[in-house]
Amino acid sequence: MIKAAIVGGTGYTGVELLRLLAAHPEVELTAITSRSEAGQAVADMFPNLRGHVDLAFCEPDKAGLNDCDVVFFATPNGIAMQHTPALLDAGVRVIDLAADFRLKDPAVWAQWYGQPHACPELLKEAVYGLPEVNRAAVAKARLVANPGCYPTAVQLGFLPLLEKGLVNAGRLIADAKSGVSGAGRKASVGTLLGEASESFKAYAVPGHRHLPEISQGLQRVTDTKVGLTFVPHLTPMIRGLHATLYAELTAEAADLQQLYESRYENEPFVDVLPADSHPETRSVRGANTCRLSIHRPQGGDTLVVLSVIDNLVKGAAGQAVQNMNIMFGLEEAVGLNIIALLP
Amino acid sequence: MIKAAIVGGTGYTGVELLRLLAAHPEVELTAITSRSEAGQAVADMFPNLRGHVDLAFCEPDKAGLNDCDVVFFATPNGIAMQHTPALLDAGVRVIDLAADFRLKDPAVWAQWYGQPHACPELLKEAVYGLPEVNRAAVAKARLVANPGCYPTAVQLGFLPLLEKGLVNAGRLIADAKSGVSGAGRKASVGTLLGEASESFKAYAVPGHRHLPEISQGLQRVTDTKVGLTFVPHLTPMIRGLHATLYAELTAEAADLQQLYESRYENEPFVDVLPADSHPETRSVRGANTCRLSIHRPQGGDTLVVLSVIDNLVKGAAGQAVQNMNIMFGLEEAVGLNIIALLP
Amino acid sequence: MIKAAIVGGTGYTGVELLRLLAAHPEVELTAITSRSEAGQAVADMFPNLRGHVDLAFCEPDKAGLNDCDVVFFATPNGIAMQHTPALLDAGVRVIDLAADFRLKDPAVWAQWYGQPHACPELLKEAVYGLPEVNRAAVAKARLVANPGCYPTAVQLGFLPLLEKGLVNAGRLIADAKSGVSGAGRKASVGTLLGEASESFKAYAVPGHRHLPEISQGLQRVTDTKVGLTFVPHLTPMIRGLHATLYAELTAEAADLQQLYESRYENEPFVDVLPADSHPETRSVRGANTCRLSIHRPQGGDTLVVLSVIDNLVKGAAGQAVQNMNIMFGLEEAVGLNIIALLP
Amino acid sequence: MIKAAIVGGTGYTGVELLRLLAAHPEVELTAITSRSEAGQAVADMFPNLRGHVDLAFCEPDKAGLNDCDVVFFATPNGIAMQHTPALLDAGVRVIDLAADFRLKDPAVWAQWYGQPHACPELLKEAVYGLPEVNRAAVAKARLVANPGCYPTAVQLGFLPLLEKGLVNAGRLIADAKSGVSGAGRKASVGTLLGEASESFKAYAVPGHRHLPEISQGLQRVTDTKVGLTFVPHLTPMIRGLHATLYAELTAEAADLQQLYESRYENEPFVDVLPADSHPETRSVRGANTCRLSIHRPQGGDTLVVLSVIDNLVKGAAGQAVQNMNIMFGLEEAVGLNIIALLP
C-alpha cells in the first residue's frame, strides 16, 4: 500500500482527491492537513465522505508527511514550493496540484505569479505531469507538477496537429469554458450562485496564468514559435471544461480523424469521438477522461478541435492519481476506471 | 457471474442501471432492449458509457431474456406486468423499477394507473423491495417491486416513528422536492431547461401515484389508520430528492436521535446525521445512501424529519441493484460502495 | 417628484430598489450610500444599470439624507435603527427593508437578533408594511417596517383562513423554499454556485428569525394562540420563493376558492389562481405579484395553500416601493406594473 | 395606436413579444394566433401574462390580420413566406422573426432551409432589420426580416473592424454560446433540463443556418471576400448569448476602443464597455441592449471582441419591436427602455 497524504484539503481539488484516494485499492490515506480546520472531521465538512473517510484535518507538522510515500499538495499557489525541498530530501515523492512547478523559467513564473520562486533549482527537475506527453519521465520523477485544467484540455487538443506540423503554430486560438468549481471553494462574490448562475462571461482576456503554461507545453513539440490567443470563460455549471480550439491548416492532411485516433489509441484516458461528433462535458463528469473531436468546417483551412474534461478530475485530482499510479509502477488506470455520472 | 438484462434502457433509470451494473464485479450484462433504438450502440446514446459498455440495444424477443438469471424492467408503467409471468415461468427472477407490482390491491392499482392489472395474481407474491423493511422477503423473492423514489425517502423517514407508535399516524405530512430527472428522459415541454430551470413549483397536489404506495408502506407498521398529505414539488436540478416530513408527537420519546440511530445502525445505506443537521441532496449524488436527520423545533410537538436520496440511485437503480445483491446472496453493498460526487 | 435615497445599496435588495426606482415616474433618486464603495459608479458594480442610473455610491453623511422625502434602508439588520430617529426628526419618512422594526416586542427582537434594540420606543409607531393587511396605517406612517420575504408569502397564504377562523391556528406548518438571492450578495462559501447549485437542503430548522415575525403577523388576525412550524429550504435558483402551507380545517368551509378570490379581489398584487392550479415562481420573476392557490387534497381536512413571490420584489424591494406609493398618496401600482420575465 | 397581431405565439419569441407589446404605450395588441391552442387563454399558457394580456389564441383566419397595421410572425421557418404576399397586398406591414426573408439569394436559402422559397421575388424587397446598419431602409420597409440571435451579436461585434478595413475579412472566427431558450419551446430530449443542465457542448460545427446570414451581413460592409468560421455552443442557462470574436489585425489601428465608442455612440441599444471589460450576459437579461468590449491581448495581432445580448430580446422580440418603432416613426426606444433583471 502506498502511504499518501494531502496537504491543504479543504478546497475542491482536495475533496476530489479524497474521493479518488479513498476508493483506490493501493493507497492508504494517512493524513490530510489544514491549519484552519485542524481537528474537524473531514466528513463534517464534506458529507459525501461520511462512512468513507474517517480522518480529521490536522496541522501540517503533525501529519507525519516525512513518513509518507507521496504527498499531494492541494494548496494555493506558492505553498508547495516552501515545503517540497524538505520532503524530497526525506525521500518523499511530491505531486503538486497547484502551479508552483509547472513553468520551467523562474522569471516567467515570478512574472505571472507575482512573487519570486522559492526553489528555482527544482523547476528543472520537476516533471510536467501530462502523461500523454511525459509518461516515461513521470515514471522516474520525484516531483511532478500536475497540469492546470485549461492546459490539459488545450494541449491534448492541439498536440496531434503540432506534432505533425500541420498547422500554423504562430496563430492558435483556444476559446475555453469552465464550470465554476475551477475558481475554487473560497468565499467570493463573483462565484456566488446569485452572480454566476444564469450568466456567461469571458474573463482575464488580457492575460491568464494558464497562458504561459499552455504555450510552454505546445512549444515542446514544435520548432515554430508558438503564438496562442487564450480566452477563458465562466459557464454556469459546477464541473466541466470545454475547449474549442482553432488552428490554420498549412499542410494537406491525409485524414485528420485517423491522425487523432492513432495518436491516442493507446491512451487510457483520451477518447477520440467518431467524425462529426460534439463532446459534452457531462460525458466526463466525475471521470478522468478527455474526449476529443476534430472538425474541418466546410472543408476550409480553419480546423476546429473540441476537447472536454472534468476540470476537477482529468484537470486536477484524477490526473494527479494517474501520475501517482505511473510513479509507483501501478497499472495506470487503477482507481480511475470510473463511469461518468450522466445525467 | 449473474447474467442480467435490462428491458427498456433508454431512460434515466436505464442508463443509471447500466452505470452500476457495468461496474459490478459479479454481474455480466447480457442484453439491453429497446424497440425504438434497436441496433444503436448504447454508448452512442449515453456517451459516458463509451469504453465501459459495448452492447447495442436489441429487440426484446432477441435478447435471450429467458436465459438470464435476472431481468430488470426500466420500462414505463404497464409493461413489466405483460412479460413477467413468462419470465418467472422460465425461472428468471424479475426486478421491476416501474410501478406494476408495488400495490397489493389490484383495484387500487387500476384506479391510480388507469388500466386493469394484467396479472393481479402476482401482486401478492411480489415483494416490495425496500430492504430496510423487507430484507428477508427480498432474499427469497422471484419478483421484486422496486419502490418509487418519493416512497423510498418518505418511508425511511417516517418508519422509526411509526414503528414505535410515537406519532399521530392519521395526520402525517410529506412535503417532497425532486430534481427533474424524476420525470424521465422523454421529450416534454414541462421539463425543458427553459421551463423548469430557475423556477420552483408544486405539482399533483390533488393526488400523485406515489400516495397510495407510501400509505400502503406506512400502514404495514402501524395499526392506526394512516392519513397522509403528500405534496411533491419540482426543483431546478437534475438529481436529488429531499423529503421534509411532519408528524405530531403523541407520546413522550426518550431520545429521538437515539431512536433513529438505533433503527438504522446496521443498515449499510441509511445514514442518520448528528443532531441539528440538515442533509443536502448533493451529499448523496450518485450514491445509494439515504441521509436522515430528526428535529423537534422549539421543543414543540411537531416533529420534522429531513430525508435525502439520489432519486436515480437509492430511489431507483441503486436500490434495484441492492435488491439483486440480496436476492442472489451477495454482500449487500457490492458494486454500490460509491462516494457521492461533491461538488 | 419624490426625493428618495437608499442607504446601503450594494446588496441584492439595493440593486433591485435601484431598478424599480430608476424607472419610477414619480421618483427622483438623489443618493445611494455605501461606505465601502464610496466614489464608485453604481453602474460599474451593477452593469444592468448602465445608462439608467448615473449615481456613484457616496458616504452616508454626504448623502443629504435629511433633504429627502423618503429614505430606504437596504442595510444589514441593526443599522437602520441607529439612524432612523434623526431622520424622522428631520421630517424624512423611512422604509426599512431589514428587520429592525418588524417585531413589536423589544425583548423578542433582542432575543432573535442578538443585540438590544437601539430605539425600542419606535417599535410601537413603526407600521408593518404588508399593504394587504395594513394599508390604511401605511398611508399615515412615518416609519414602515418592510416585511421579510418568507413572512410575506406565508402570511398572504394563511390570512384568509385565519381571518375566518376556519383552521386550527395552533398547528400551522409553513414549508418554504427560497432561491439563493435571499441569502444576500456577501461572499460566503455556502452560497457559492459550486456549493448551492444542483443541491437542495433545509436550514435553520431549530429556529429562523422569520418565525417570530410570521407568528406575530398571523396572531394579529386570530384570538387563538398561533402555533407555527416553519422550515425554510434553499433551492438552486437565483430568485423565487415558494411557500407550501398546511393547516387543519376545523370548520366546514362553504367554498375555499371563493374565499380566497373574495379576500384578494381588490388587491393589485395578489393573484388567486383558478382551482387546481400550481403557481410557479417564474410566473412572478421580477414582478411584485404574489400568486396563490388553495387545495384540499382528497377532500380531507388538511388544507394546502401554495404561495409564490419573487423574494427580491414582493418579498423586498417591490413591496417597499408599494409602501412608498401608499405613503405618498400615489396610485399603488405606479412603477410596479411589471410583467414577469418568462422564460 | 398601432394595431398589431402575432402569428404563432406559443413559443419563446411569441411570449417575449407579448411581454413587450403588452407594455408598449403605442400598441394595441389585437390578436395572437395558434392553430393548436385556439381558444385557450394566452395567460393560461404563460402565467406571467395574467392580468396583462386578456387575449385567447385564435385561428389565423379569424384573427383579422388584414385589418392590422403590422403582423409579427413568430412561427417556424417556412410559414411567414406563405402568408406575407397577401398581407402586403392588403397594406399590412410584416415583421418576420423567423428566417424566411433573411437571405437575399433564394438558392442559398433553399440550400440551408431545405425547401424552395415560396416568394423569392420578395427577398429583394425585404429589409434586413439590423437597425444599426439598415435604419433608413427599415423606416421605409413594408417587410422586415428580423435578424437571428447569433447574427445580431456577431455582426454588431465585427462591423466596426470590417467597416474600417482593419482586419483580415477572410479569416474571421465567431465562437458563440447561447442559452437554451434559443432552441425554442418545443418538446425535445436534447433541451430537457436533465440533458442540458450542468453540461456544455458545441453543436452544428459542420454548418449552422446562421452562417450564411452572418456572412451575407458582413460582406455588405467589405470588398474583401468574407471567410467566417462559426461555432455555436449550448450553455446551461435560459437566456443570454455571448459571442467571442477573433480577427487578425492587418492595419495599425489608432485606438480600437475609440473606434467602437464612436461607431455606436448614437445607438440607443449598443453599449461599448470601458477598456478591459468583460460583458456578462446577465447584464442584458430582459433588455434590448447589446454590450461590447474590444481587446488586443498582449498587444498581438489577434483581436478579441466580446458581444452579449439577450437572445430573446435584442436577438429576437426586442429587435422586432425596435424595427416596428422605426417603421412607424416612433421614438426608437419607446417600450424598450427596460433595465435588465440582475441578479
Side-chain angles (χ1 to χ4, degrees):
Chain A
M1 297 291 275
I2 300 167
K3 290 167 67 176
I6 300 171
V7 176
T10 63
Y12 288 143
T13 51
V15 62
E16 191 68 355
L17 266 176
L18 286 165
R19 181 178 75 96
L20 296 173
L21 293 176
H24 195 293
E26 304 290 339
V27 170
E28 178 193 0
L29 195 58
T30 61
I32 175 162
T33 80
S34 165
R35 287 185 204 282
S36 60
E37 305 295 335
Q40 187 185 10
V42 170
D44 285 355
M45 176 172 284
F46 299 122
N48 61 324
L49 299 175
R50 281 176 61 89
H52 298 280
V53 174
D54 286 335
L55 295 171
F57 292 106
C58 69
E59 298 279 353
D61 55 2
K62 297 179 183 158
L65 299 180
N66 284 359
D67 301 327
C68 290
D69 298 305
V70 61
V71 169
F72 294 89
F73 281 88
T75 42
N77 297 320
I79 305 296
M81 67 185 184
Q82 310 292 343
H83 303 284
T84 292
L87 287 168
L88 295 181
D89 287 349
V92 180
R93 278 182 270 195
V94 170
I95 300 174
D96 178 27
L97 285 81
D100 292 14
F101 298 102
R102 291 181 191 159
L103 300 182
K104 289 300 174 191
D105 183 335
V108 175
W109 195 91
Q111 172 197 340
W112 285 90
Y113 291 93
Q115 54 183 309
H117 200 283
C119 48
E121 68 285 358
L122 284 177
L123 289 179
K124 189 173 294 183
E125 175 183 349
V127 174
Y128 187 70
L130 192 64
E132 293 77 8
V133 175
N134 272 348
R135 183 170 284 111
V138 169
K140 293 181 243 168
R142 294 194 304 165
L143 170 58
V144 165
N146 208 56
C149 50
Y150 289 123
T152 296
V154 174
Q155 290 177 78
L156 292 175
F158 272 136
L159 282 172
L161 297 175
L162 290 174
E163 288 170 349
K164 296 290 184 187
L166 299 178
V167 296
N168 180 353
R171 185 169 295 284
L172 302 172
I173 291 173
D175 186 292
K177 303 86 175 172
S178 175
V180 176
S181 63
R185 192 173 164 271
K186 64 179 176 305
S188 80
V189 171
T191 50
L192 293 178
L193 188 146
E195 300 287 301
S197 183
E198 270 293 305
S199 194
F200 189 93
K201 67 171 179 181
Y203 67 100
V205 178
H208 184 285
R209 286 167 170 180
H210 285 175
L211 174 62
E213 180 183 341
I214 301 172
S215 295
Q216 171 185 282
L218 297 180
Q219 194 67 72
R220 284 173 55 109
V221 300
T222 177
D223 293 331
T224 315
K225 173 79 175 133
V226 167
L228 172 69
T229 300
F230 170 54
V231 177
H233 302 75
L234 198 64
T235 187
M237 59 189 191
I238 301 175
R239 285 173 184 248
L241 190 157
H242 186 290
T244 311
L245 310 176
Y246 301 90
E248 181 188 347
L249 187 66
T250 49
E252 211 34 63
D255 184 333
L256 294 165
Q257 178 69 25
Q258 173 60 25
L259 169 70
Y260 273 71
E261 292 183 5
S262 299
R263 173 61 178 83
Y264 291 122
E265 66 182 337
N266 294 317
E267 286 298 338
F269 295 116
V270 182
D271 177 26
V272 178
L273 297 185
D276 290 332
S277 296
H278 302 85
E280 307 173 75
T281 62
R282 66 179 187 146
S283 80
V284 297
R285 186 189 298 141
N288 197 47
T289 307
C290 173
R291 294 200 206 277
L292 295 171
S293 72
I294 170 83
H295 291 259
R296 187 178 174 182
Q298 286 91 47
D301 64 357
T302 299
L303 300 183
V304 179
V305 182
L306 310 175
S307 173
V308 301
I309 59 172
D310 183 324
N311 55 302
L312 296 179
V313 191
K314 184 62 176 169
Q319 188 145 264
V321 173
Q322 184 181 355
N323 280 316
M324 179 198 75
N325 288 344
I326 297 169
M327 292 164 85
F328 287 86
L330 303 177
E331 200 239 320
E332 191 165 329
V334 65
L336 292 172
N337 194 22
I338 299 165
I339 302 179
L341 196 69
L342 179 160
Chain B
M1 297 289 276
I2 299 166
K3 289 166 67 175
I6 301 172
V7 177
T10 62
Y12 288 141
T13 51
V15 62
E16 191 68 353
L17 265 176
L18 285 166
R19 181 177 74 96
L20 297 173
L21 294 176
H24 195 293
E26 304 290 338
V27 169
E28 178 194 359
L29 195 58
T30 61
I32 174 161
T33 81
S34 165
R35 287 187 205 280
S36 60
E37 305 296 333
Q40 188 185 9
V42 170
D44 286 353
M45 176 173 284
F46 300 122
N48 61 324
L49 299 174
R50 282 176 60 89
H52 298 280
V53 174
D54 287 335
L55 294 172
F57 292 106
C58 69
E59 298 278 354
D61 55 2
K62 297 180 181 155
L65 300 180
N66 284 359
D67 300 327
C68 290
D69 297 307
V70 61
V71 169
F72 294 89
F73 281 89
T75 42
N77 297 321
I79 305 295
M81 67 185 184
Q82 310 292 344
H83 303 283
T84 292
L87 287 168
L88 295 181
D89 287 349
V92 180
R93 278 182 270 195
V94 170
I95 300 175
D96 178 27
L97 283 81
D100 291 14
F101 299 100
R102 291 181 191 158
L103 299 182
K104 289 299 176 191
D105 183 334
V108 175
W109 196 92
Q111 172 197 340
W112 285 90
Y113 291 92
Q115 53 183 309
H117 200 282
C119 48
E121 69 284 0
L122 284 177
L123 290 179
K124 188 173 295 183
E125 176 184 347
V127 174
Y128 187 71
L130 192 63
E132 292 77 7
V133 176
N134 271 349
R135 181 170 284 110
V138 168
K140 292 182 246 169
R142 294 195 303 165
L143 170 57
V144 165
N146 208 57
C149 50
Y150 288 123
T152 296
V154 174
Q155 290 177 79
L156 292 175
F158 272 137
L159 282 172
L161 297 174
L162 289 173
E163 289 169 348
K164 296 290 184 184
L166 299 178
V167 296
N168 180 353
R171 186 168 293 285
L172 302 172
I173 292 173
D175 187 291
K177 302 87 174 172
S178 175
V180 176
S181 63
R185 191 173 165 271
K186 66 180 174 303
S188 80
V189 171
T191 50
L192 293 177
L193 188 147
E195 300 288 300
S197 184
E198 270 292 306
S199 194
F200 190 93
K201 66 171 180 180
Y203 66 101
V205 178
H208 184 284
R209 287 168 170 179
H210 286 174
L211 175 62
E213 180 183 341
I214 301 170
S215 296
Q216 171 186 283
L218 297 179
Q219 194 65 73
R220 285 174 55 111
V221 299
T222 177
D223 294 332
T224 316
K225 172 78 175 135
V226 167
L228 173 69
T229 300
F230 170 55
V231 177
H233 302 74
L234 198 64
T235 188
M237 60 188 190
I238 301 174
R239 286 172 182 249
L241 190 158
H242 186 291
T244 311
L245 310 176
Y246 301 91
E248 182 187 348
L249 187 66
T250 51
E252 211 34 63
D255 185 334
L256 293 165
Q257 178 70 24
Q258 173 61 26
L259 168 69
Y260 273 70
E261 292 182 3
S262 300
R263 173 59 178 86
Y264 291 122
E265 66 182 339
N266 295 318
E267 287 298 338
F269 296 115
V270 182
D271 177 27
V272 178
L273 297 184
D276 291 332
S277 296
H278 302 86
E280 307 172 75
T281 62
R282 66 178 186 145
S283 80
V284 296
R285 185 188 300 140
N288 196 47
T289 307
C290 174
R291 294 200 205 277
L292 295 171
S293 72
I294 170 83
H295 292 260
R296 187 179 175 183
Q298 284 92 48
D301 64 357
T302 300
L303 301 182
V304 179
V305 182
L306 310 176
S307 173
V308 300
I309 59 171
D310 183 324
N311 54 301
L312 296 180
V313 190
K314 185 62 176 168
Q319 188 145 264
V321 173
Q322 185 181 357
N323 280 316
M324 180 198 73
N325 287 345
I326 297 170
M327 292 165 85
F328 287 85
L330 304 178
E331 200 238 320
E332 192 164 329
V334 64
L336 292 171
N337 196 21
I338 300 165
I339 303 178
L341 196 70
L342 178 160
Chain C
M1 297 290 276
I2 300 166
K3 290 166 67 176
I6 301 172
V7 177
T10 61
Y12 289 141
T13 51
V15 62
E16 191 69 352
L17 265 176
L18 286 166
R19 180 177 74 96
L20 297 173
L21 294 177
H24 195 293
E26 304 290 338
V27 170
E28 178 194 359
L29 196 59
T30 62
I32 175 161
T33 81
S34 165
R35 287 186 205 281
S36 60
E37 306 296 334
Q40 187 185 9
V42 169
D44 285 354
M45 176 173 284
F46 299 121
N48 60 325
L49 299 174
R50 281 177 61 89
H52 299 279
V53 175
D54 286 334
L55 294 171
F57 293 106
C58 69
E59 298 279 353
D61 54 1
K62 297 179 181 157
L65 300 181
N66 284 0
D67 301 326
C68 290
D69 298 305
V70 61
V71 168
F72 295 88
F73 281 88
T75 41
N77 297 320
I79 305 295
M81 66 185 184
Q82 309 293 342
H83 303 283
T84 291
L87 287 168
L88 295 181
D89 287 350
V92 180
R93 279 182 270 196
V94 170
I95 300 175
D96 178 27
L97 284 82
D100 291 14
F101 299 101
R102 291 182 191 158
L103 300 182
K104 290 299 175 190
D105 184 335
V108 175
W109 196 92
Q111 172 197 340
W112 286 91
Y113 291 93
Q115 53 183 311
H117 200 282
C119 48
E121 68 285 0
L122 285 177
L123 290 179
K124 188 174 294 183
E125 176 184 346
V127 175
Y128 188 71
L130 192 64
E132 293 77 6
V133 175
N134 270 350
R135 182 169 284 111
V138 169
K140 292 182 246 170
R142 294 195 304 166
L143 170 57
V144 165
N146 208 57
C149 50
Y150 289 124
T152 296
V154 174
Q155 290 177 79
L156 292 176
F158 273 137
L159 281 172
L161 298 174
L162 290 173
E163 288 170 350
K164 296 291 184 185
L166 299 178
V167 296
N168 180 352
R171 185 169 295 285
L172 302 172
I173 292 173
D175 187 290
K177 303 87 174 171
S178 175
V180 176
S181 63
R185 191 172 164 271
K186 65 179 176 305
S188 80
V189 171
T191 49
L192 293 178
L193 189 148
E195 300 289 300
S197 184
E198 271 292 307
S199 193
F200 189 94
K201 67 171 179 181
Y203 66 100
V205 178
H208 184 284
R209 288 167 169 181
H210 286 174
L211 174 62
E213 180 183 341
I214 301 170
S215 296
Q216 171 186 283
L218 297 179
Q219 193 67 72
R220 285 173 55 110
V221 300
T222 177
D223 294 332
T224 316
K225 172 79 176 134
V226 166
L228 172 69
T229 300
F230 170 54
V231 177
H233 302 75
L234 198 64
T235 187
M237 60 190 189
I238 301 175
R239 284 173 183 249
L241 190 157
H242 187 290
T244 311
L245 310 176
Y246 301 91
E248 181 188 349
L249 187 66
T250 50
E252 211 34 62
D255 185 334
L256 293 165
Q257 178 70 25
Q258 173 60 27
L259 169 68
Y260 273 71
E261 292 182 5
S262 300
R263 175 59 179 83
Y264 292 121
E265 65 182 341
N266 294 318
E267 286 298 340
F269 295 116
V270 182
D271 177 26
V272 178
L273 297 184
D276 290 333
S277 296
H278 302 85
E280 307 172 74
T281 62
R282 66 177 187 148
S283 79
V284 297
R285 186 189 298 140
N288 197 46
T289 307
C290 173
R291 294 199 205 277
L292 295 171
S293 72
I294 169 83
H295 292 260
R296 187 178 174 184
Q298 286 92 47
D301 65 356
T302 299
L303 301 182
V304 179
V305 182
L306 311 176
S307 173
V308 300
I309 59 171
D310 183 323
N311 55 301
L312 296 179
V313 191
K314 184 62 176 168
Q319 188 146 262
V321 173
Q322 185 181 357
N323 280 315
M324 180 197 74
N325 287 345
I326 297 169
M327 292 164 84
F328 287 85
L330 304 177
E331 201 239 320
E332 192 164 330
V334 65
L336 292 172
N337 195 21
I338 299 165
I339 303 178
L341 196 69
L342 179 158
Chain D
M1 296 291 274
I2 300 167
K3 291 166 66 176
I6 301 172
V7 177
T10 62
Y12 288 142
T13 52
V15 63
E16 191 68 354
L17 266 176
L18 286 166
R19 181 177 75 95
L20 297 173
L21 293 177
H24 194 293
E26 304 290 338
V27 169
E28 177 194 0
L29 195 59
T30 61
I32 175 161
T33 80
S34 165
R35 287 186 205 283
S36 60
E37 305 296 334
Q40 187 185 9
V42 169
D44 285 354
M45 176 172 284
F46 299 121
N48 62 324
L49 299 174
R50 280 177 62 88
H52 298 279
V53 175
D54 286 335
L55 295 171
F57 292 107
C58 69
E59 297 280 354
D61 54 3
K62 297 180 182 156
L65 300 181
N66 284 359
D67 300 328
C68 289
D69 297 306
V70 61
V71 169
F72 294 89
F73 281 88
T75 41
N77 297 321
I79 305 295
M81 66 185 183
Q82 309 292 343
H83 303 284
T84 291
L87 287 167
L88 294 180
D89 287 349
V92 180
R93 278 182 271 195
V94 170
I95 299 174
D96 179 28
L97 285 81
D100 292 13
F101 299 101
R102 290 182 192 158
L103 300 182
K104 289 299 174 192
D105 183 335
V108 175
W109 196 92
Q111 172 196 339
W112 285 91
Y113 291 92
Q115 53 183 310
H117 200 282
C119 47
E121 68 285 0
L122 285 176
L123 289 179
K124 189 173 294 183
E125 175 182 349
V127 174
Y128 188 71
L130 192 64
E132 292 77 7
V133 174
N134 272 349
R135 182 170 284 111
V138 169
K140 292 182 245 169
R142 294 194 305 165
L143 170 58
V144 165
N146 208 56
C149 51
Y150 288 123
T152 296
V154 174
Q155 290 177 77
L156 292 175
F158 272 136
L159 282 172
L161 297 174
L162 289 173
E163 288 169 349
K164 296 290 185 187
L166 299 178
V167 296
N168 180 353
R171 185 169 294 285
L172 302 172
I173 292 173
D175 187 291
K177 303 86 174 171
S178 175
V180 176
S181 62
R185 192 172 164 272
K186 66 180 176 304
S188 80
V189 171
T191 51
L192 294 177
L193 189 147
E195 301 287 302
S197 183
E198 271 292 304
S199 194
F200 190 92
K201 67 170 180 182
Y203 66 100
V205 178
H208 184 285
R209 287 168 170 180
H210 285 176
L211 174 63
E213 180 182 342
I214 301 171
S215 295
Q216 171 186 283
L218 297 179
Q219 193 67 71
R220 285 173 54 109
V221 300
T222 178
D223 294 330
T224 316
K225 171 79 175 133
V226 167
L228 173 69
T229 300
F230 170 54
V231 177
H233 302 75
L234 197 65
T235 187
M237 60 189 190
I238 301 174
R239 285 173 183 249
L241 190 158
H242 186 291
T244 311
L245 309 177
Y246 301 90
E248 181 187 349
L249 187 66
T250 50
E252 209 36 61
D255 185 333
L256 294 165
Q257 178 69 24
Q258 173 61 27
L259 169 70
Y260 272 71
E261 292 183 5
S262 300
R263 173 60 179 86
Y264 291 121
E265 66 183 339
N266 294 318
E267 287 298 338
F269 296 116
V270 182
D271 177 26
V272 178
L273 297 184
D276 290 333
S277 297
H278 302 84
E280 307 173 73
T281 63
R282 66 177 187 148
S283 80
V284 296
R285 186 189 298 141
N288 197 47
T289 308
C290 173
R291 294 199 205 278
L292 295 171
S293 72
I294 169 84
H295 292 259
R296 186 177 174 183
Q298 285 91 48
D301 64 358
T302 299
L303 300 183
V304 179
V305 182
L306 310 175
S307 173
V308 301
I309 59 171
D310 183 323
N311 54 302
L312 296 180
V313 191
K314 184 62 176 168
Q319 187 145 265
V321 173
Q322 185 181 355
N323 281 315
M324 181 197 73
N325 288 345
I326 296 170
M327 292 164 84
F328 287 86
L330 303 177
E331 200 238 320
E332 191 165 329
V334 65
L336 292 172
N337 195 21
I338 300 165
I339 303 178
L341 195 70
L342 178 160

